[in-house]
Amino acid sequence: MEIEIAAVLTIAPKLELLEKLLDRRIARAALDTTSPALPLLERVYRLGEYKRLAANLAVMEHRIRCALGDGETDALAASALRRTGVAGDRRHVRSGIKKAWKVLSDLGVADLEAYKTLPLFGAECRRLGKLAKKRARPAKNMPLNRLYGVAACACSPDDRTVRA
């Protein structure tokens, strides 16, 4: 759930632009007089659903920002945008995620899986998930040369250093 919360916070600046683009695409599809009506209706409906999802995500981000404050919300978004990922060891990141989850559950949001149909949100969740998997890789299973950035060496019985 922390990946979805971080995705809500990181795509928030893009949602206004997305809404304008969706309005233009809906108007263009609605005013098309040369194409068959049924595919156009389906397209307008799908774009309307995208717009609804984007508006809901904007409301969620606003409620999270109001509950946590600007500083903590920006810290969560910054930790999500860095290479370290969201699941950081810092206490304020973990507590911010818990508070954000409480705010979303008070809004009646059980999970954010349905919002992944919005292409912008789905892509951001996948990107943050990849970062989290990359960070979650345990260091003890890594070879020594990758762990320390040098070739792994061992000492031979005659006190010479050789490659392992």
Side-chain angles (χ1 to χ4, degrees):
M1 188 64 177
E2 63 268 355
I3 291 173
E4 287 87 0
I5 291 172
V8 167
L9 296 175
T10 56
I11 68 166
K14 302 172 189 173
L15 289 176
E16 188 175 337
L17 177 64
L18 178 65
E19 184 180 352
K20 289 179 185 176
L21 291 173
L22 288 173
D23 280 338
R24 279 194 274 163
R25 291 180 74 188
I26 289 171
R28 191 177 324 130
L31 296 175
D32 187 8
T33 58
T34 59
S35 300
L38 192 58
L40 283 177
L41 286 173
E42 291 172 357
R43 184 172 182 200
V44 168
Y45 177 76
R46 188 179 71 244
L47 292 172
E49 281 296 309
Y50 287 165
K51 188 172 177 181
R52 181 187 64 82
L53 293 174
N56 286 347
L57 287 172
V59 168
M60 286 181 212
E61 189 271 337
H62 177 72
R63 294 283 177 96
I64 289 171
R65 188 169 290 279
C66 289
L68 299 180
D70 289 337
E72 198 168 4
T73 305
D74 292 339
L76 285 175
S79 75
L81 290 173
R82 286 190 209 118
R83 292 282 178 207
T84 58
V86 182
D89 297 326
R90 293 178 286 177
R91 190 177 340 161
H92 69 276
V93 172
R94 288 192 309 243
S95 68
I97 293 289
K98 287 179 185 176
K99 289 177 190 175
W101 170 244
K102 172 113 174 66
V103 168
L104 291 180
S105 64
D106 288 345
L107 284 174
V109 178
D111 64 346
L112 294 170
E113 289 297 318
Y115 290 91
K116 289 185 180 179
T117 59
L118 184 67
L120 177 67
F121 186 71
E124 187 70 14
C125 286
R126 285 190 300 275
R127 185 183 74 83
L128 292 175
K130 286 179 185 177
L131 287 177
K133 284 180 185 177
K134 190 182 281 187
R135 183 179 186 274
R137 187 174 30 184
K140 64 182 178 182
N141 293 340
M142 292 177 65
L144 287 177
N145 60 349
R146 291 210 43 224
L147 185 62
Y148 296 110
V150 295
C153 299
C155 291
S156 64
D158 55 349
D159 292 330
R160 288 185 304 157
T161 303
V162 294
R163 289 191 144 222

